[in-house]
Amino acid sequence: MSASPSPSPGSPSGWRVASASFERSADKLSAAPPGDLPEIAVTGRSNVGKSSLLNAFAGQRALARVSATPGRTQLLNFFKVVLRHPRHGDLPFRWVDLPGYGYADAPKSVRASFGPMIEGYLRGREALRGLVLLLDVRREVSEFDEALLDFMVDRRLWTLVCATKADKLGKGERGNAAIGLARALDLPRSHVLVTSATSGLGLGDDGLARALARGLSPADPEDMPAGT
């Protein structure tokens, strides 16, 4: 990370998104950008709100296209993001939006391609540093969700779960949901965030921004996924 001058009064005191831009889409790993930056893969069910979360996190309305029909994202979408801290400086990385999965109304041929594309990226991308798995806070964990986390454990890569659409729950329900997900997935509680693209809950320095900065440079075993 580059050096940075001391923050002036009233400036942000923690991690925030300084810039974010779409880079390219790829239908296979060989068409991806060069692996010159650490990458965080982001995935989840097709209707979990991946595009909405990225837009809210980056503070942009149309950085990622929000489709009216879940299951339309069939490519690897690469975004260059720069996190900034007043003391630690800039931390550039790629946010890689993986195809959604589990949406029954997508054509059969499309559904069949999601698994190989996701696995091919997770297994073959050397720049990959971790995975952010999005789960609808109101839904149960699926077998595919569990399989993805097990895969990341085998690779010994950092993993974070974002429970999305938390604005649909009361404050007490949010905490209970996070604890339940951590237990169900055998993850440390600190690896489960309750988020909302609508309200911005869990996306700033007290949530996703800080978690990503930590995950990109894990310092101790607590930053790694638990065994299952």
Side-chain angles (χ1 to χ4, degrees):
M1 300 181 194
S2 61
S4 178
S6 299
S8 59
S11 63
S13 59
W15 290 104
R16 64 182 180 88
V17 176
S19 65
S21 59
F22 172 73
E23 198 165 9
R24 76 173 68 166
S25 296
D27 61 354
K28 52 190 174 182
L29 195 56
S30 60
D36 55 345
L37 290 175
E39 295 179 357
I40 297 293
V42 183
T43 193
R45 292 178 63 90
S46 298
N47 56 350
V48 78
K50 293 188 288 105
S51 296
S52 296
L53 187 82
L54 174 56
N55 288 340
F57 178 59
Q60 300 183 33
R61 290 186 177 183
L63 176 61
R65 180 181 177 185
V66 179
S67 174
T69 304
R72 287 286 178 84
T73 302
Q74 303 167 24
L75 302 170
L76 304 171
N77 293 305
F78 294 83
F79 300 83
K80 185 174 181 180
V81 180
V82 177
L83 291 176
R84 180 166 295 163
H85 193 281
R87 293 191 306 277
H88 303 306
D90 288 358
L91 179 56
F93 71 99
R94 284 191 177 95
W95 174 294
V96 186
D97 183 15
L98 303 184
Y101 54 83
Y103 194 70
D105 288 345
K108 185 176 181 180
S109 60
V110 171
R111 298 201 308 269
S113 71
F114 285 171
M117 184 179 290
I118 293 173
E119 182 174 349
Y121 172 83
L122 295 178
R123 189 180 298 278
R125 188 66 167 173
E126 293 185 2
L128 180 64
R129 295 292 179 270
L131 174 77
V132 175
L133 175 62
L134 272 54
L135 302 175
D136 188 322
V137 72
R138 303 164 299 174
R139 291 179 176 268
E140 294 185 357
V141 176
S142 72
E143 292 182 359
F144 204 109
D145 299 326
E146 294 177 342
L148 275 173
L149 290 175
D150 287 343
F151 186 87
M152 296 302 285
V153 168
D154 290 341
R155 285 209 59 191
R156 296 298 296 163
L157 291 173
W158 175 85
T159 305
L160 180 74
V161 170
C162 282
T164 65
K165 306 182 183 181
D167 54 287
K168 307 295 184 182
L169 302 180
K171 186 174 181 179
E173 293 177 300
R174 296 170 196 164
N176 290 334
I179 293 172
L181 281 173
R183 289 175 177 170
L185 297 171
D186 194 20
L187 289 172
R189 172 61 184 84
S190 61
H191 283 234
V192 178
L193 289 179
V194 177
T195 67
S196 168
T198 301
S199 68
L201 175 71
L203 301 183
D205 184 59
D206 60 342
L208 184 56
R210 181 183 294 182
L212 288 175
R214 188 176 184 186
L216 287 162
S217 305
D220 58 62
E222 281 299 309
D223 290 325
M224 301 298 292
T228 57

